[in-house]
Amino acid sequence: MDLAVLEETLAARGEPAYRTRQVWEWAARGAAGFEEMTNLPAALRAALGEAVPFSTLSRTAEARSKDGTVKALFSTHDGHPLETVLMTYRDGRRSLCISSQSGCPLTCTFCATGQMRFHRNLTASEILDQALYFRRLGPISHAVFMGMGEPMMNLDAVLEAARRLPDVGITPRRTTISTVGWLPGLTRFVSEVEEPIRLAISLHAPDDALRSMLMPVNLRYPLADVLAECERRFELRHQKVFVEYVMLRGVNDRVEQAAQLARLLDRKIYKVNLIPYNPTGAYEGSSRDAIAAFKNVLDRARLPATVRLTRGRDIQAACGQLAAERAVEVTPC
Ligand code: SAH
């Protein structure tokens, strides 16, 4: 819901200021329409139904994976595509993977979104409406800004949305913002954000030469500068920084590269997530054995590391597979 439009509509009708909050609280708790908001006068509910679209997004397709993952494809009012994924786990976690942009201007070579056209930044309302859509289907415990786009290029909208997520039931500690290390946004995030929102950094290589090959953005913002900001975050907030490392066969998965990574990262500050590569055409994923051997080196260096579970592969909903233009054709409702 466009909260600015809501506020203007209420103000124009001479409604008291607390009405915006009332409407928001209903939406945040999963209401499906104004008619459910029983503490609002019936006439007002009807008027809002006429004047304020309940969502800034329309859902154009949805797909369900065998493992319970749900992917929704949305369109903004001006026709730009984006995708959102809900992952459910045996321990009861229900984690939402949120998009911050339609498409992405960065061209990480292994990422499907990086290969599609960049449309635009999403507004805070468009980011929140992804969460509200899924909240209507059931409770959500975690949110990760790991969908389409680079959140640190759209930091104001991302933070405005993230700061409302607690009303949806997702605490700051259970909210993670993932970044390539886009320094203008990252520096601001570290300096300004006092909430314990988690930071994850997409590293994928232990040195600048390889990282620049995989992620051209590294030419602009090299490793040392990115890691310096992560370390500043740790000093200020005493919260571990997650490192994402997608495992590409013969590219970044050798045990020597694991040793290099262990030397690069302070084990008090970082926790490494090894991500099995989800095929998007460009590379081959590392074998299970190679991932185990890589992890073993990190374990021996006592650098905390886990291997991420892959979800939603069968519906192209796994990490880095979100390329909405294609999804329109392959996953109709
Ligand atoms: N732009 C942000 C957030 C979106 S990408 C970032 O890069 O962090 C979310 C995560 O998915 C990143 O760690 C990204 O590197 C990873 N990823 C992208 N493509 C992938 C793929 N094909 N397989 C596995 N992980 C991938």
Side-chain angles (χ1 to χ4, degrees), residues 104 106 108 110-112 145-151 178-180 200-202 204 215 244 246 275-280 308 319-321:
C104 183
L106 306 176
C108 299
F110 47 83
C111 177
F145 282 85
M146 295 184 188
M148 283 182 177
E150 169 48 46
S178 177
T179 177
V180 298
I201 206 90
S202 293
H204 307 319
M215 309 168 68
E244 294 160 279
V246 59
I275 312 176
Y277 174 60
N278 295 305
T280 61
R308 184 180 288 171
C319 307
Q321 290 186 315

Side-chain angles (χ1 to χ4, degrees), residues 238-250:
H238 307 289
Q239 200 179 33
K240 284 217 174 191
V241 175
F242 297 131
V243 164
E244 294 160 279
Y245 195 100
V246 59
M247 298 294 292
L248 305 172
R249 180 181 302 207

Side-chain angles (χ1 to χ4, degrees), residues 47-62:
L48 288 176
E50 292 286 307
V52 185
F54 202 70
S55 179
T56 56
L57 303 174
S58 46
R59 198 211 58 182
T60 44
E62 190 165 288

Side-chain angles (χ1 to χ4, degrees), residues 10 29 54 73-74 80 92 95 101 110 121-122 159 180 204 250 257 260 270 274 281 285 306 311 328:
L10 289 168
R29 279 188 257 115
F54 202 70
L73 169 62
F74 296 103
H80 300 306
S95 184
Q101 299 180 315
F110 47 83
N121 280 339
L122 299 178
L159 285 179
V180 298
H204 307 319
Q257 289 165 314
Q260 210 182 341
Y270 297 100
L274 300 175
T306 52
R311 316 293 288 181
V328 180

